[in-house]
Amino acid sequence: MTTDGFRVLDVKSLTEYIKATPSLASKLGDELDNLEIKEVGDGNLNFVYIIISTSGSLVIKQAVPYIRLIGESWPMTKERSYFEATALKRQHSLSPNHVPEIYHFDRTMSLIGMRYIEPPHIILRKGLIVGVEYPLLAEHMAEFMANTLFFTSLLHLTTTQHKSAVAEFCANVELCRLTEQVVFSDPYKISEFNRWTSPYLDSDAESIRNDKILKLEVAELKSKFCEKAQALIHGDLHTSSVMVTKESTQVIDPEFAFYGPMGFDIGAFIGNLFLSYFAQDGHSNNANNRKTYKAWIMDTVANTWNLFYKKFTSLWDIHKDGPGEAYLHEIYKDMELWSLVKQKFMLDLFHDSLGFAAAKMIRRIVGVAHVEDFESINDVVKRADCERRALDFAKILIKKRRNFNNITDVISTVE
Ligand code: ADP
Ligand code: SR1
Ligand code: MG
Ligand code: MG
């Protein structure tokens, strides 16, 4: 027990905790004698337990005061749990079909109780590695992003509402600083935390550190990440933050949430689909060359952006004379001007999304935290080839992003 009342729970103490917490016990039908408890945390930061009784189930997620992937040598505030709980509640209210319900939050214990997203749901990244198609993924992710980003932005909020929400999430400083470091800084300098498929990518990593134009573009993206409080973003929307079946899509793990640039979420998701695309050649074999699957991934990238565009602009149209203070109806009601405003906003957002997508790709290949898409390719030469192609594409994407006017042109470049 620490002086602040926090203690790390284990299977035994978790049972006692649940017994003493009516909001959790009731989700298990108050059948607490033979609980099945399993720690399943495979993420980088926290501990996650699945708890099943004869009449119910739930998930408990507890933050510890360090980064699990690294260990106690890299301390990290456990207050991240507060921001995760607050964001989960807000996102669940805005996109109830795609965000699990929260049952309980204990700030002292940095502990969240939430819905168990039951099998056959699996982590999307794992489905992409084995080559499963998810026909509704793009539609669902577009809906999640359109709802959570539109309704928390100045397109829907007054500046007073927006400022107070920005202020609350401003305190998620340590998690933002972690992203600033591992996404926008470390990959571009020598850092003890960086790693890559060495020696095959040694010169690729070095050329990233020496690429002046690339570093100029990354500085612009970093400044947007730090300064553009556009909407409540998830902040870590990669393919391991999404659980799926063919019919259902659930977004988890928003502990990095804060008011930041919308393109950071769209880019994280699309960038991780690109990573999966480039990893496919490492998973192909004689029985399946993954060609059809790669085409499906590219369709999903295109559909995600196009459906997001449609849903987001349609929310904007519906609420054009609502409380949002960014573009007051009185000033922008002229049809031609209204159309120009939307076109410009969406094109800027598209370019931001492409830039962030590329930055997120680069960090996963030469930074501290890698992705299973590549790590599970056992043949290192093959893996390095896949990673190099992904890096080369990401560099083009960052540098040339403003030349793209639509997602089809981006996909032609990938292919
Ligand atoms: P971290 O913040 O450490 O990355 P995550 O929230 O991503 O933790 O959770 C880690 C793992 O726990 C996920 O990959 C998933 O397998 C499992 N998990 C997390 N939340 C749930 C949930 N609500 N239902 C089912 N499994 C979950
Ligand atoms: C030490 S960096 C750990 C990474 O894992 C999280 O999921 C975030 O992506 C973070 O950058
Ligand atoms: Mg996670
Ligand atoms: Mg997390």
Side-chain angles (χ1 to χ4, degrees):
M1 171 86 85
T2 52
T3 47
D4 61 3
F6 172 84
R7 65 205 153 93
V8 178
L9 292 180
D10 55 21
V11 171
K12 188 164 174 289
S13 48
L14 200 55
T15 310
E16 298 312 313
Y17 185 91
I18 293 167
K19 284 185 177 164
T21 312
S23 57
L24 296 177
S26 65
K27 292 291 170 189
L28 299 167
D30 290 306
E31 299 281 346
L32 308 177
D33 286 337
N34 288 305
L35 295 180
E36 193 189 309
I37 304 185
K38 206 160 62 179
E39 205 279 315
V40 293
D42 59 358
N44 289 333
L45 269 70
N46 304 292
F47 288 82
V48 177
Y49 297 88
I50 292 171
I51 295 118
I52 299 179
S53 77
T54 46
S55 2
S57 62
L58 54 86
V59 152
I60 298 276
K61 178 168 179 178
Q62 188 177 37
V64 287
Y66 57 87
I67 295 180
R68 182 180 183 169
L69 167 75
I70 309 285
E72 294 185 41
S73 62
W74 194 333
M76 185 53 57
T77 176
K78 48 188 168 46
E79 265 294 89
R80 59 185 184 264
S81 189
Y82 166 77
F83 295 102
E84 175 159 356
T86 310
L88 267 177
K89 284 181 204 155
R90 188 82 188 99
Q91 290 168 344
H92 177 77
S93 75
L94 294 170
S95 193
N97 294 334
H98 304 303
V99 180
E101 185 191 343
I102 284 224
Y103 301 149
H104 170 78
F105 174 58
D106 180 339
R107 194 164 181 173
T108 305
M109 291 290 282
S110 304
L111 181 148
I112 298 170
M114 68 182 115
R115 174 193 152 196
Y116 171 38
I117 304 170
E118 69 294 340
H121 283 94
I122 57 166
I123 286 290
L124 171 59
R125 195 186 301 285
K126 293 189 186 290
L128 295 170
I129 291 170
V130 293
V132 183
E133 292 185 16
Y134 296 98
L136 297 175
L137 178 65
E139 168 92 33
H140 289 167
M141 288 306 292
E143 185 177 314
F144 168 81
M145 293 192 292
N147 284 339
T148 56
L149 299 178
F150 176 81
F151 286 110
T152 59
S153 76
L154 276 175
L155 303 182
H156 181 67
L157 300 178
T158 65
T159 56
T160 309
Q161 292 168 323
H162 182 256
K163 277 199 174 65
S164 96
V166 170
E168 178 174 25
F169 277 91
C170 249
N172 203 5
V173 178
E174 279 195 43
L175 282 266
C176 287
R177 282 185 64 79
L178 177 59
T179 301
E180 290 152 24
Q181 177 184 343
V182 300
V183 177
F184 298 107
S185 298
D186 281 358
Y188 305 94
K189 66 187 187 67
I190 305 273
S191 157
E192 60 175 306
F193 300 112
N194 288 343
R195 65 183 180 88
W196 52 82
T197 307
S198 185
Y200 308 97
L201 294 187
D202 287 0
S203 60
D204 302 79
E206 190 185 351
S207 76
I208 282 174
R209 294 195 299 271
N210 293 331
D211 190 329
K212 296 190 180 67
I213 305 291
L214 179 64
K215 292 205 269 192
L216 211 61
E217 294 297 347
V218 169
E220 187 175 318
L221 290 164
K222 183 175 182 177
S223 121
K224 276 203 173 145
F225 178 80
C226 300
E227 296 157 5
K228 192 167 179 171
Q230 205 174 19
L232 176 61
I233 64 170
H234 177 285
D236 200 20
L237 197 49
H238 51 72
T239 48
S240 292
S241 294
V242 182
M243 296 188 72
V244 282
T245 66
K246 286 197 185 258
E247 296 82 30
S248 159
T249 306
Q250 303 294 320
V251 177
I252 58 169
D253 196 12
E255 66 194 311
F256 286 79
F258 77 114
Y259 274 73
M262 297 179 183
F264 193 74
D265 274 1
I266 303 165
F269 185 64
I270 285 179
N272 275 264
L273 289 179
F274 284 140
L275 289 176
S276 166
Y277 174 91
F278 285 104
Q280 292 303 320
D281 288 347
H283 300 298
S284 66
N285 53 37
N286 291 339
N288 186 349
N289 64 12
R290 300 277 180 124
K291 219 174 147 192
T292 314
Y293 194 60
K294 282 165 78 174
W296 176 80
I297 297 176
M298 286 300 101
D299 284 350
T300 303
V301 169
N303 292 339
T304 300
W305 171 256
N306 290 333
L307 287 167
F308 170 81
Y309 189 109
K310 204 167 140 203
K311 288 171 192 289
F312 188 89
T313 51
S314 122
L315 284 173
W316 198 354
D317 280 335
I318 293 167
H319 295 276
K320 65 177 179 299
D321 45 8
E325 288 193 278
Y327 300 95
L328 293 170
H329 188 54
E330 198 184 344
I331 306 174
Y332 295 96
K333 64 178 172 236
D334 173 85
M335 290 297 276
E336 195 187 338
L337 179 57
W338 178 240
S339 164
L340 280 175
V341 159
K342 281 193 294 186
Q343 266 174 43
K344 178 168 184 337
F345 185 98
M346 295 310 285
L347 190 61
D348 285 348
L349 178 53
F350 183 54
H351 294 156
D352 282 3
S353 304
L354 297 181
F356 288 124
K360 300 281 263 183
M361 293 174 74
I362 293 172
R363 61 81 52 117
R364 294 294 185 191
I365 301 170
V366 298
V368 57
H370 286 223
V371 286
E372 198 180 334
D373 312 56
F374 293 127
E375 298 292 288
S376 58
I377 303 171
N378 292 325
D379 178 336
V380 278
V381 175
K382 230 182 193 186
R383 186 202 308 160
D385 279 349
C386 294
E387 290 175 321
R388 182 176 301 110
R389 284 200 291 275
L391 274 182
D392 290 345
F393 167 68
K395 286 195 280 187
I396 295 173
L397 196 57
I398 281 206
K399 293 176 192 175
K400 305 276 179 215
R401 65 187 187 281
R402 296 176 202 83
N403 297 352
F404 292 110
N405 289 317
N406 58 65
I407 193 75
T408 315
D409 293 345
V410 178
I411 285 165
S412 305
T413 308
V414 179
E415 285 165 344

